[in-house]
Coordinates of all heavy atoms in Angstrom, one line a residue:
M1 N 229.1 -65.9 -91.4 CA 229.3 -66.6 -92.7 C 228.2 -66.1 -93.6 O 227.1 -66.0 -93.3 CB 229.2 -68.0 -92.5 CG 230.0 -68.7 -91.5 SD 231.7 -68.6 -91.7 CE 232.3 -69.2 -90.2
T2 N 228.7 -65.8 -94.8 CA 227.7 -65.3 -95.8 C 227.8 -66.3 -97.1 O 228.8 -66.7 -97.4 CB 227.9 -63.9 -96.3 OG1 229.3 -63.8 -96.8 CG2 227.8 -62.9 -95.2
L3 N 226.7 -66.5 -97.7 CA 226.6 -67.3 -98.8 C 226.0 -66.6 -99.9 O 224.8 -66.0 -99.9 CB 225.7 -68.5 -98.5 CG 226.0 -69.4 -97.3 CD1 225.0 -70.4 -97.0 CD2 227.4 -70.1 -97.5
T4 N 226.7 -66.5 -101.0 CA 226.3 -65.8 -102.3 C 226.7 -66.6 -103.4 O 227.4 -67.6 -103.2 CB 226.9 -64.4 -102.3 OG1 228.4 -64.6 -102.2 CG2 226.4 -63.5 -101.2
E5 N 226.3 -66.0 -104.7 CA 226.7 -66.8 -105.9 C 228.0 -66.1 -106.4 O 227.9 -65.1 -106.8 CB 225.7 -66.6 -106.9 CG 224.3 -67.3 -106.6 CD 223.3 -66.5 -105.8 OE1 223.3 -65.3 -106.0 OE2 222.6 -67.0 -105.0
F6 N 229.1 -66.8 -106.3 CA 229.2 -68.1 -105.7 C 230.5 -68.0 -104.8 O 231.6 -68.2 -105.3 CB 229.5 -69.2 -106.7 CG 228.2 -69.5 -107.5 CD1 228.0 -68.9 -108.8 CD2 227.3 -70.5 -107.1 CE1 226.8 -69.2 -109.5 CE2 226.2 -70.7 -107.7 CZ 225.9 -70.1 -108.9
A7 N 230.3 -67.6 -103.5 CA 231.3 -67.6 -102.6 C 230.8 -67.8 -101.2 O 229.6 -67.6 -100.9 CB 231.9 -66.1 -102.7
V8 N 231.7 -68.3 -100.3 CA 231.4 -68.5 -98.9 C 232.3 -67.3 -98.2 O 233.5 -67.4 -98.4 CB 231.8 -69.8 -98.4 CG1 231.6 -69.8 -96.8 CG2 231.0 -70.9 -99.1
G9 N 231.6 -66.5 -97.6 CA 232.4 -65.2 -96.9 C 232.6 -65.6 -95.4 O 231.5 -66.0 -94.7
V10 N 233.8 -65.4 -94.9 CA 234.0 -65.7 -93.5 C 234.5 -64.4 -92.8 O 235.3 -63.7 -93.6 CB 235.0 -66.8 -93.3 CG1 234.3 -68.1 -93.7 CG2 236.2 -66.7 -94.1
P11 N 234.3 -64.0 -91.6 CA 234.8 -62.9 -91.0 C 236.2 -63.0 -90.6 O 236.9 -61.9 -90.5 CB 233.9 -62.7 -89.8 CG 233.4 -64.1 -89.5 CD 233.3 -64.8 -90.7
Q12 N 236.7 -64.2 -90.5 CA 238.1 -64.4 -90.1 C 238.5 -65.8 -90.6 O 237.6 -66.6 -90.8 CB 238.3 -64.3 -88.6 CG 237.5 -65.4 -87.8 CD 237.3 -65.0 -86.3 OE1 236.5 -64.2 -85.9 NE2 238.2 -65.5 -85.4
R13 N 239.7 -66.0 -90.7 CA 240.2 -67.3 -91.2 C 240.9 -68.1 -90.1 O 241.3 -69.2 -90.3 CB 241.1 -67.1 -92.4 CG 240.3 -66.7 -93.6 CD 241.3 -66.6 -94.8 NE 240.4 -66.1 -96.0 CZ 239.6 -66.9 -96.7 NH1 239.4 -68.1 -96.4 NH2 238.9 -66.3 -97.7
A14 N 241.2 -67.5 -89.0 CA 242.0 -68.2 -87.9 C 241.1 -68.2 -86.7 O 240.6 -67.2 -86.3 CB 243.3 -67.5 -87.7
F15 N 240.9 -69.3 -86.2 CA 240.0 -69.6 -85.0 C 240.8 -70.3 -83.9 O 241.7 -71.1 -84.2 CB 238.8 -70.4 -85.4 CG 237.8 -69.7 -86.2 CD1 238.0 -69.7 -87.6 CD2 236.8 -69.0 -85.8 CE1 237.2 -69.0 -88.5 CE2 235.9 -68.4 -86.5 CZ 236.0 -68.4 -87.9
A16 N 240.5 -70.1 -82.6 CA 241.0 -70.8 -81.5 C 240.1 -72.1 -81.4 O 238.9 -72.1 -81.7 CB 241.0 -70.1 -80.2
P17 N 240.7 -73.2 -80.8 CA 239.8 -74.4 -80.7 C 238.6 -74.0 -79.8 O 238.8 -73.3 -78.9 CB 240.7 -75.3 -80.0 CG 242.1 -74.9 -80.5 CD 242.0 -73.4 -80.5
G18 N 237.5 -74.6 -80.0 CA 236.4 -74.5 -79.2 C 235.1 -74.8 -80.0 O 235.1 -75.2 -81.1
T19 N 233.9 -74.6 -79.3 CA 232.7 -74.8 -79.9 C 232.1 -73.5 -80.4 O 232.1 -72.5 -79.6 CB 231.7 -75.4 -78.9 OG1 232.2 -76.7 -78.6 CG2 230.4 -75.7 -79.5
Y20 N 231.7 -73.4 -81.6 CA 231.3 -72.2 -82.3 C 229.8 -72.5 -82.8 O 229.6 -73.5 -83.3 CB 232.2 -71.7 -83.4 CG 233.5 -71.3 -82.8 CD1 234.5 -72.3 -82.7 CD2 233.8 -70.0 -82.7 CE1 235.8 -71.9 -82.3 CE2 235.0 -69.6 -82.3 CZ 236.0 -70.6 -82.2 OH 237.2 -70.1 -81.7
T21 N 229.0 -71.4 -82.8 CA 227.7 -71.5 -83.5 C 227.9 -70.5 -84.6 O 227.9 -69.3 -84.4 CB 226.5 -71.1 -82.6 OG1 226.4 -72.1 -81.6 CG2 225.2 -71.2 -83.4
F22 N 228.0 -71.0 -85.8 CA 228.1 -70.1 -87.0 C 226.7 -69.8 -87.6 O 226.0 -70.7 -87.7 CB 229.0 -70.7 -88.1 CG 230.5 -71.0 -87.7 CD1 231.0 -72.2 -87.8 CD2 231.2 -69.9 -87.4 CE1 232.2 -72.4 -87.5 CE2 232.6 -70.1 -86.9 CZ 233.0 -71.4 -87.1
T23 N 226.4 -68.6 -87.8 CA 225.2 -68.2 -88.5 C 225.5 -67.9 -90.0 O 226.3 -67.1 -90.3 CB 224.6 -67.0 -87.8 OG1 224.3 -67.2 -86.5 CG2 223.3 -66.6 -88.6
A24 N 224.9 -68.8 -90.8 CA 225.1 -68.7 -92.2 C 223.9 -67.9 -92.8 O 222.8 -68.2 -92.7 CB 225.2 -70.1 -92.9
R25 N 224.4 -66.8 -93.4 CA 223.3 -65.9 -93.9 C 223.4 -66.0 -95.5 O 224.4 -65.9 -96.1 CB 223.5 -64.4 -93.7 CG 223.7 -64.2 -92.1 CD 223.8 -62.8 -91.7 NE 224.2 -62.7 -90.4 CZ 223.3 -62.7 -89.4 NH1 222.1 -62.9 -89.6 NH2 223.8 -62.6 -88.0
N26 N 222.3 -66.4 -96.0 CA 222.1 -66.6 -97.5 C 221.7 -65.1 -98.1 O 220.7 -64.6 -98.0 CB 221.1 -67.6 -97.8 CG 221.1 -67.8 -99.3 OD1 221.6 -67.0 -100.1 ND2 220.4 -68.9 -99.7
Q27 N 222.8 -64.6 -98.5 CA 222.6 -63.1 -99.2 C 222.5 -63.3 -100.8 O 222.7 -62.2 -101.5 CB 223.8 -62.3 -98.8 CG 223.8 -62.1 -97.3 CD 224.9 -61.2 -96.8 OE1 225.9 -60.9 -97.5 NE2 224.8 -60.6 -95.6
G28 N 222.3 -64.5 -101.3 CA 222.2 -64.7 -102.7 C 220.8 -64.7 -103.2 O 219.9 -64.3 -102.4
Q29 N 220.7 -65.0 -104.4 CA 219.3 -65.1 -105.0 C 218.8 -66.5 -105.1 O 217.7 -66.6 -105.5 CB 219.4 -64.5 -106.4 CG 220.0 -63.1 -106.4 CD 219.2 -62.1 -105.9 OE1 217.9 -62.1 -105.9 NE2 219.8 -61.3 -105.0
T30 N 219.5 -67.5 -104.7 CA 219.0 -68.8 -104.9 C 219.3 -69.6 -103.5 O 219.8 -69.2 -102.6 CB 219.8 -69.6 -106.0 OG1 219.2 -70.8 -106.3 CG2 221.3 -69.7 -105.8
I31 N 219.0 -70.9 -103.6 CA 219.2 -71.7 -102.4 C 220.6 -72.1 -102.1 O 221.3 -72.3 -103.1 CB 218.3 -72.9 -102.4 CG1 218.7 -73.8 -103.6 CG2 216.8 -72.6 -102.3 CD1 218.1 -75.2 -103.5
H32 N 221.0 -72.1 -100.9 CA 222.4 -72.5 -100.5 C 222.3 -73.2 -99.2 O 221.2 -73.3 -98.5 CB 223.3 -71.2 -100.3 CG 223.5 -70.4 -101.6 ND1 224.2 -71.1 -102.7 CD2 223.3 -69.2 -102.0 CE1 224.3 -70.2 -103.6 NE2 223.6 -69.0 -103.2
A33 N 223.4 -73.8 -98.8 CA 223.6 -74.4 -97.5 C 225.1 -74.2 -97.0 O 226.0 -73.9 -97.9 CB 223.1 -75.8 -97.5
L34 N 225.3 -74.4 -95.8 CA 226.7 -74.3 -95.3 C 227.0 -75.6 -94.7 O 226.4 -76.3 -93.9 CB 226.8 -73.2 -94.2 CG 228.3 -73.2 -93.7 CD1 229.3 -72.6 -94.7 CD2 228.3 -72.3 -92.5
E35 N 228.2 -76.2 -95.3 CA 228.7 -77.5 -94.8 C 230.1 -77.3 -94.4 O 230.9 -76.4 -94.9 CB 228.7 -78.5 -96.0 CG 229.3 -79.8 -95.5 CD 229.0 -81.0 -96.5 OE1 228.3 -80.7 -97.5 OE2 229.6 -82.1 -96.3
I36 N 230.6 -77.9 -93.3 CA 231.9 -77.7 -92.8 C 232.5 -79.1 -92.6 O 231.9 -80.1 -92.1 CB 232.0 -76.9 -91.4 CG1 233.5 -76.9 -90.9 CG2 231.2 -77.7 -90.3 CD1 233.6 -75.8 -89.8
V37 N 233.7 -79.3 -93.2 CA 234.3 -80.6 -93.3 C 235.7 -80.5 -92.6 O 236.5 -79.5 -92.9 CB 234.5 -81.1 -94.7 CG1 235.2 -82.5 -94.7 CG2 233.1 -81.3 -95.4
G38 N 236.1 -81.3 -91.7 CA 237.4 -81.2 -91.1 C 238.0 -82.4 -90.5 O 237.5 -83.5 -90.8
P39 N 239.1 -82.2 -89.7 CA 239.8 -83.5 -89.0 C 238.9 -84.2 -88.2 O 237.9 -83.9 -87.7 CB 240.9 -82.7 -88.2 CG 240.9 -81.4 -88.7 CD 239.5 -80.9 -89.3
G40 N 239.1 -85.5 -88.1 CA 238.5 -86.4 -87.3 C 237.1 -86.8 -87.9 O 236.2 -87.3 -87.2
G41 N 236.9 -86.7 -89.2 CA 235.7 -87.0 -89.8 C 234.5 -86.2 -89.6 O 233.4 -86.4 -89.9
L42 N 234.9 -84.9 -89.1 CA 233.9 -83.9 -88.9 C 233.2 -83.5 -90.3 O 233.9 -83.2 -91.2 CB 234.4 -82.7 -88.2 CG 233.3 -81.6 -87.9 CD1 233.4 -81.0 -86.5 CD2 233.3 -80.5 -88.9
D43 N 231.8 -83.6 -90.3 CA 231.1 -83.2 -91.5 C 229.8 -82.8 -91.1 O 228.9 -83.7 -90.8 CB 231.0 -84.4 -92.5 CG 230.5 -84.0 -93.8 OD1 230.0 -82.8 -94.0 OD2 230.6 -84.8 -94.7
E44 N 229.5 -81.5 -91.0 CA 228.2 -81.0 -90.5 C 227.6 -80.0 -91.5 O 228.5 -79.4 -92.1 CB 228.3 -80.3 -89.1 CG 228.9 -81.2 -88.0 CD 227.9 -82.0 -87.4 OE1 226.6 -81.9 -87.6 OE2 228.2 -82.9 -86.6
R45 N 226.5 -80.0 -91.7 CA 225.8 -79.1 -92.6 C 224.4 -78.6 -92.2 O 223.8 -79.2 -91.3 CB 225.7 -79.7 -94.0 CG 224.9 -80.9 -94.1 CD 224.5 -81.2 -95.5 NE 223.4 -80.2 -95.9 CZ 222.9 -80.3 -97.2 NH1 223.3 -81.2 -98.0 NH2 221.9 -79.5 -97.5
T46 N 224.1 -77.4 -92.7 CA 222.7 -76.9 -92.4 C 221.8 -77.6 -93.4 O 222.2 -78.2 -94.4 CB 222.7 -75.3 -92.6 OG1 223.0 -75.1 -94.0 CG2 223.7 -74.7 -91.6
T47 N 220.6 -77.3 -93.3 CA 219.6 -77.6 -94.3 C 219.8 -76.5 -95.4 O 220.5 -75.6 -95.2 CB 218.2 -77.6 -93.7 OG1 218.0 -76.2 -93.3 CG2 217.9 -78.6 -92.7
T48 N 219.1 -76.9 -96.5 CA 219.3 -75.9 -97.6 C 218.2 -74.8 -97.4 O 217.1 -75.2 -96.9 CB 218.9 -76.6 -99.0 OG1 219.8 -77.7 -99.1 CG2 219.0 -75.7 -100.2
F49 N 218.6 -73.5 -97.6 CA 217.7 -72.5 -97.3 C 217.8 -71.4 -98.3 O 218.8 -71.2 -99.0 CB 217.9 -71.9 -95.9 CG 219.2 -71.5 -95.5 CD1 219.6 -70.1 -95.5 CD2 220.2 -72.3 -95.3 CE1 220.9 -69.7 -95.2 CE2 221.6 -71.9 -95.0 CZ 221.9 -70.6 -95.0
R50 N 216.7 -70.6 -98.3 CA 216.6 -69.6 -99.4 C 217.3 -68.3 -99.1 O 217.7 -68.0 -98.0 CB 215.1 -69.2 -99.6 CG 214.3 -70.4 -100.1 CD 212.8 -70.0 -100.2 NE 212.1 -71.2 -100.6 CZ 212.0 -71.7 -101.9 NH1 212.6 -71.0 -102.8 NH2 211.2 -72.7 -102.2
G51 N 217.5 -67.4 -100.2 CA 218.1 -66.2 -100.1 C 217.2 -65.3 -99.0 O 216.0 -65.4 -99.0
G52 N 218.0 -64.5 -98.2 CA 217.3 -63.7 -97.2 C 217.2 -64.4 -95.9 O 216.8 -63.8 -94.9
Q53 N 217.4 -65.7 -95.8 CA 217.2 -66.5 -94.5 C 218.5 -66.8 -94.0 O 219.5 -66.7 -94.7 CB 216.4 -67.8 -94.9 CG 215.0 -67.6 -95.4 CD 214.2 -68.8 -95.5 OE1 214.7 -69.8 -95.9 NE2 212.9 -68.8 -95.3
S54 N 218.5 -67.4 -92.7 CA 219.8 -67.8 -92.2 C 219.6 -69.1 -91.5 O 218.4 -69.4 -91.0 CB 220.3 -66.6 -91.3 OG 219.4 -66.4 -90.2
E55 N 220.7 -69.8 -91.2 CA 220.6 -71.0 -90.5 C 221.8 -71.1 -89.6 O 222.9 -70.7 -89.9 CB 220.7 -72.2 -91.4 CG 219.3 -72.5 -92.2 CD 218.5 -73.2 -91.4 OE1 218.7 -73.9 -90.4 OE2 217.2 -73.0 -91.7
D56 N 221.7 -71.6 -88.4 CA 222.8 -71.7 -87.5 C 223.4 -73.2 -87.6 O 222.8 -74.1 -87.8 CB 222.4 -71.6 -86.0 CG 222.0 -70.1 -85.7 OD1 222.5 -69.3 -86.4 OD2 221.3 -69.9 -84.7
L57 N 224.6 -73.2 -87.4 CA 225.5 -74.4 -87.5 C 226.4 -74.5 -86.3 O 227.3 -73.6 -86.2 CB 226.3 -74.6 -88.8 CG 227.0 -75.9 -89.0 CD1 226.0 -77.1 -89.1 CD2 227.7 -75.9 -90.3
T58 N 226.2 -75.4 -85.4 CA 227.2 -75.5 -84.2 C 228.1 -76.6 -84.5 O 227.8 -77.7 -84.7 CB 226.3 -75.8 -83.0 OG1 225.4 -74.7 -82.7 CG2 227.2 -75.8 -81.7
V59 N 229.4 -76.3 -84.3 CA 230.5 -77.2 -84.5 C 231.6 -77.0 -83.4 O 231.7 -75.9 -82.9 CB 231.2 -77.1 -85.9 CG1 230.2 -77.6 -87.0 CG2 231.6 -75.7 -86.2
T60 N 232.2 -78.1 -83.0 CA 233.4 -78.0 -82.2 C 234.6 -78.1 -83.1 O 234.8 -79.2 -83.7 CB 233.3 -79.1 -81.1 OG1 232.1 -79.0 -80.4 CG2 234.5 -79.1 -80.2
L61 N 235.5 -77.1 -83.0 CA 236.6 -77.2 -83.8 C 237.9 -77.5 -83.0 O 238.2 -77.0 -81.9 CB 236.9 -75.7 -84.3 CG 235.7 -75.0 -85.1 CD1 236.1 -73.7 -85.6 CD2 235.4 -76.0 -86.4
Q62 N 238.6 -78.5 -83.5 CA 240.0 -78.8 -83.0 C 241.0 -78.2 -83.8 O 240.7 -77.8 -85.0 CB 240.1 -80.4 -83.0 CG 238.9 -81.1 -82.4 CD 238.9 -82.6 -82.7 OE1 239.8 -83.1 -83.3 NE2 237.8 -83.3 -82.2
P63 N 242.1 -78.2 -83.4 CA 243.3 -77.7 -84.3 C 243.4 -78.4 -85.6 O 243.3 -79.6 -85.7 CB 244.5 -78.0 -83.5 CG 244.0 -77.9 -82.1 CD 242.6 -78.5 -82.1
G64 N 243.5 -77.6 -86.6 CA 243.5 -78.2 -88.0 C 242.9 -77.3 -89.0 O 242.7 -76.2 -88.8
S65 N 242.7 -77.9 -90.1 CA 242.2 -77.0 -91.3 C 240.8 -77.6 -91.6 O 240.4 -78.7 -91.6 CB 243.2 -77.3 -92.5 OG 243.1 -76.4 -93.3
Y66 N 240.0 -76.7 -91.8 CA 238.5 -77.0 -92.1 C 238.0 -76.2 -93.5 O 238.4 -75.1 -93.8 CB 237.6 -76.5 -91.0 CG 237.8 -77.2 -89.7 CD1 238.9 -76.9 -88.9 CD2 236.8 -78.2 -89.2 CE1 239.0 -77.6 -87.7 CE2 237.0 -78.9 -88.0 CZ 238.0 -78.6 -87.3 OH 238.2 -79.3 -86.1
E67 N 237.3 -77.0 -94.2 CA 236.7 -76.5 -95.3 C 235.2 -76.1 -95.2 O 234.5 -76.9 -94.7 CB 236.8 -77.4 -96.6 CG 236.2 -76.9 -97.9 CD 236.2 -77.8 -99.0 OE1 236.6 -79.0 -98.8 OE2 235.9 -77.5 -100.1
L68 N 234.9 -74.9 -95.5 CA 233.5 -74.4 -95.4 C 233.0 -74.4 -97.0 O 233.7 -73.7 -97.7 CB 233.4 -73.1 -94.8 CG 233.9 -73.0 -93.4 CD1 233.9 -71.5 -92.9 CD2 232.9 -73.8 -92.4
L69 N 232.0 -74.9 -97.2 CA 231.5 -75.0 -98.5 C 229.9 -75.1 -98.7 O 229.2 -75.4 -97.7 CB 232.0 -76.3 -99.2 CG 231.6 -77.7 -98.6 CD1 230.6 -78.4 -99.5 CD2 232.8 -78.6 -98.3
C70 N 229.5 -74.9 -99.9 CA 228.1 -75.0 -100.2 C 227.8 -76.4 -100.8 O 228.3 -76.5 -102.0 CB 227.6 -73.9 -101.0 SG 225.8 -74.1 -101.4
P71 N 227.1 -77.3 -100.3 CA 226.9 -78.6 -100.9 C 225.8 -78.7 -101.9 O 225.5 -79.7 -102.5 CB 226.5 -79.4 -99.7 CG 225.8 -78.6 -98.8 CD 226.5 -77.2 -99.0
V72 N 225.2 -77.5 -102.3 CA 224.1 -77.5 -103.2 C 224.7 -77.5 -104.6 O 225.5 -76.6 -104.9 CB 223.2 -76.3 -103.0 CG1 222.2 -76.2 -104.1 CG2 222.6 -76.2 -101.6
G73 N 224.0 -78.5 -105.4 CA 224.4 -78.6 -106.9 C 225.9 -78.6 -107.1 O 226.7 -79.3 -106.4
N74 N 226.3 -77.8 -107.9 CA 227.8 -77.7 -108.3 C 228.4 -76.3 -107.7 O 229.4 -75.9 -108.2 CB 228.1 -77.9 -109.7 CG 227.5 -76.7 -110.5 OD1 226.7 -75.9 -110.0 ND2 227.9 -76.6 -111.8
H75 N 227.6 -75.8 -106.6 CA 228.1 -74.5 -106.2 C 229.5 -74.5 -105.7 O 230.3 -73.6 -105.8 CB 227.1 -74.0 -105.1 CG 225.8 -73.8 -105.4 ND1 224.8 -73.3 -104.7 CD2 225.2 -73.9 -106.6 CE1 223.6 -73.1 -105.3 NE2 223.9 -73.5 -106.6
R76 N 230.0 -75.6 -105.0 CA 231.3 -75.7 -104.6 C 232.3 -75.5 -105.8 O 233.3 -74.8 -105.7 CB 231.6 -77.0 -103.9 CG 233.0 -77.3 -103.4 CD 233.1 -78.5 -102.6 NE 234.4 -78.7 -102.1 CZ 235.4 -79.5 -102.7 NH1 235.0 -80.0 -103.9 NH2 236.5 -79.7 -102.2
Q77 N 232.0 -76.3 -106.8 CA 232.9 -76.1 -108.0 C 232.9 -74.7 -108.6 O 233.9 -74.3 -109.2 CB 232.4 -77.1 -109.0 CG 232.8 -78.5 -108.7 CD 231.8 -79.2 -107.8 OE1 230.9 -78.6 -107.4 NE2 232.1 -80.5 -107.4
Q78 N 231.9 -74.0 -108.4 CA 231.7 -72.7 -108.9 C 232.4 -71.6 -108.0 O 232.3 -70.4 -108.3 CB 230.2 -72.3 -109.1 CG 229.7 -73.1 -110.3 CD 228.3 -72.6 -110.7 OE1 228.2 -71.6 -111.3 NE2 227.3 -73.3 -110.4
G79 N 232.8 -72.1 -106.8 CA 233.6 -71.2 -105.9 C 233.1 -71.0 -104.5 O 233.7 -70.3 -103.8
M80 N 232.1 -71.7 -104.2 CA 231.5 -71.7 -102.8 C 232.3 -72.5 -101.9 O 231.7 -73.5 -101.4 CB 230.1 -72.0 -102.8 CG 229.3 -70.8 -103.5 SD 227.4 -71.1 -103.3 CE 227.4 -70.5 -101.4
T81 N 233.5 -72.2 -101.7 CA 234.4 -73.0 -100.7 C 235.5 -72.1 -100.2 O 235.9 -71.1 -100.9 CB 235.1 -74.2 -101.4 OG1 235.9 -74.8 -100.5 CG2 235.8 -73.7 -102.7
T82 N 235.8 -72.2 -98.9 CA 236.9 -71.5 -98.4 C 237.4 -72.4 -97.3 O 236.8 -73.4 -96.8 CB 236.4 -70.1 -97.7 OG1 237.5 -69.3 -97.6 CG2 235.5 -70.2 -96.6
T83 N 238.5 -71.9 -96.7 CA 239.3 -72.8 -95.7 C 239.6 -72.0 -94.5 O 240.0 -70.7 -94.7 CB 240.6 -73.2 -96.3 OG1 240.3 -74.0 -97.5 CG2 241.3 -74.2 -95.3
I84 N 239.3 -72.4 -93.3 CA 239.6 -71.7 -92.1 C 240.6 -72.6 -91.3 O 240.7 -73.8 -91.6 CB 238.5 -71.4 -91.2 CG1 237.8 -72.7 -90.7 CG2 237.5 -70.5 -91.9 CD1 236.8 -72.5 -89.7
T85 N 241.4 -71.9 -90.5 CA 242.4 -72.8 -89.8 C 242.2 -72.6 -88.3 O 241.9 -71.5 -87.8 CB 243.9 -72.2 -90.1 OG1 244.1 -72.3 -91.5 CG2 245.0 -73.0 -89.4
V86 N 242.2 -73.6 -87.6 CA 242.1 -73.7 -86.1 C 243.4 -74.0 -85.5 O 244.0 -75.0 -85.8 CB 241.1 -74.6 -85.7 CG1 240.9 -74.6 -84.2 CG2 239.7 -74.4 -86.4
G87 N 243.9 -73.1 -84.8 CA 245.3 -73.2 -84.2 C 245.3 -73.4 -82.7 O 244.3 -73.2 -82.0
G88 N 246.3 -73.9 -82.1 CA 246.6 -74.0 -80.7 C 246.7 -72.7 -80.1 O 246.6 -72.7 -78.7
D89 N 247.1 -71.7 -80.8 CA 247.2 -70.4 -80.2 C 246.6 -69.4 -81.2 O 246.1 -69.8 -82.3 CB 248.7 -70.0 -79.8 CG 249.5 -70.0 -81.2 OD1 249.2 -69.3 -82.1 OD2 250.5 -70.8 -81.1
S90 N 246.6 -68.1 -80.9 CA 245.8 -67.2 -81.7 C 246.8 -66.5 -82.6 O 246.5 -65.4 -83.2 CB 245.1 -66.0 -80.8 OG 246.2 -65.5 -80.0
T91 N 248.0 -66.9 -82.9 CA 248.9 -66.3 -83.8 C 248.5 -66.6 -85.2 O 248.5 -67.7 -85.6 CB 250.3 -66.8 -83.5 OG1 250.7 -66.6 -82.2 CG2 251.4 -66.2 -84.4
A92 N 248.0 -65.5 -85.8 CA 247.6 -65.7 -87.1 C 248.6 -65.9 -88.2 O 249.7 -65.5 -88.0 CB 246.5 -64.6 -87.5
G93 N 248.3 -66.3 -89.4 CA 249.2 -66.3 -90.4 C 249.9 -67.5 -90.7 O 250.7 -67.5 -91.8
S94 N 249.8 -68.5 -90.0 CA 250.5 -69.8 -90.2 C 249.4 -70.8 -90.8 O 249.0 -71.7 -90.1 CB 251.1 -70.4 -89.1 OG 250.2 -70.6 -87.9
S95 N 249.1 -70.6 -92.1 CA 248.1 -71.5 -92.7 C 248.8 -72.7 -93.3 O 249.8 -72.5 -94.1 CB 247.4 -70.7 -93.8 OG 246.7 -71.7 -94.5
P96 N 248.4 -73.9 -92.9 CA 249.0 -75.1 -93.6 C 248.7 -75.2 -95.1 O 249.4 -76.0 -95.7 CB 248.3 -76.2 -92.8 CG 247.1 -75.7 -92.1 CD 247.4 -74.2 -92.0
Q97 N 247.8 -74.3 -95.5 CA 247.5 -74.4 -97.0 C 248.7 -73.8 -97.7 O 248.7 -73.9 -99.0 CB 246.2 -73.7 -97.2 CG 245.0 -74.4 -96.6 CD 244.9 -75.8 -97.0 OE1 244.9 -76.1 -98.2 NE2 244.7 -76.7 -96.1
Q98 N 249.4 -72.9 -97.1 CA 250.4 -72.0 -97.8 C 251.7 -72.8 -98.0 O 252.2 -73.6 -97.1 CB 250.8 -70.9 -96.9 CG 249.6 -70.0 -96.7 CD 249.3 -69.1 -97.8 OE1 249.9 -68.9 -98.8 NE2 248.0 -68.6 -97.9
P99 N 252.2 -72.9 -99.2 CA 253.4 -73.7 -99.4 C 254.6 -72.9 -98.6 O 254.5 -71.7 -98.6 CB 253.7 -73.6 -100.9 CG 252.9 -72.4 -101.3 CD 251.7 -72.3 -100.5
T100 N 255.4 -73.6 -98.1 CA 256.5 -72.9 -97.4 C 257.5 -72.4 -98.4 O 258.0 -73.0 -99.4 CB 257.3 -74.1 -96.5 OG1 256.3 -74.8 -95.7 CG2 258.4 -73.5 -95.7
A101 N 257.7 -71.1 -98.2 CA 258.6 -70.5 -99.1 C 260.1 -70.8 -98.7 O 260.3 -70.9 -97.6 CB 258.5 -68.9 -98.9
G102 N 260.9 -70.9 -99.7 CA 262.3 -71.4 -99.4 C 263.2 -70.0 -99.3 O 262.7 -68.9 -99.6
G103 N 264.3 -70.2 -99.0 CA 265.3 -69.1 -99.0 C 265.4 -68.2 -97.7 O 266.0 -67.3 -97.7
Y104 N 264.7 -68.7 -96.7 CA 264.7 -68.0 -95.4 C 265.7 -68.7 -94.4 O 265.8 -69.9 -94.4 CB 263.3 -67.8 -94.9 CG 262.4 -66.9 -95.7 CD1 261.5 -67.5 -96.4 CD2 262.6 -65.6 -95.6 CE1 260.7 -66.7 -97.3 CE2 261.8 -64.8 -96.4 CZ 260.8 -65.3 -97.3 OH 260.1 -64.6 -98.0
Ligands
CU201 CU1 225.2 -72.6 -102.9

């Protein structure tokens, strides 16, 4: 995961259920943190850390949709948010965030 002004970068958007340790790298010029919010009341975050530093965040992902965001100031509103999907299989491309297209 990378944190910059103002975006959260993820290497992939589809994950299999399981426990992961995400390393959030602050590649920006100011302080950031990584927070993950998801099903079942999951809400975990790193401490706030400076550019050039990194923090680990260990979370157990269940099937569903998770938001990764920066909780510092108004960074989330400025674009530091992204969504990942945890599925029961590894078939990518079925994001619940996508509206279902008609006509098929
Ligand atoms: Cu931030």
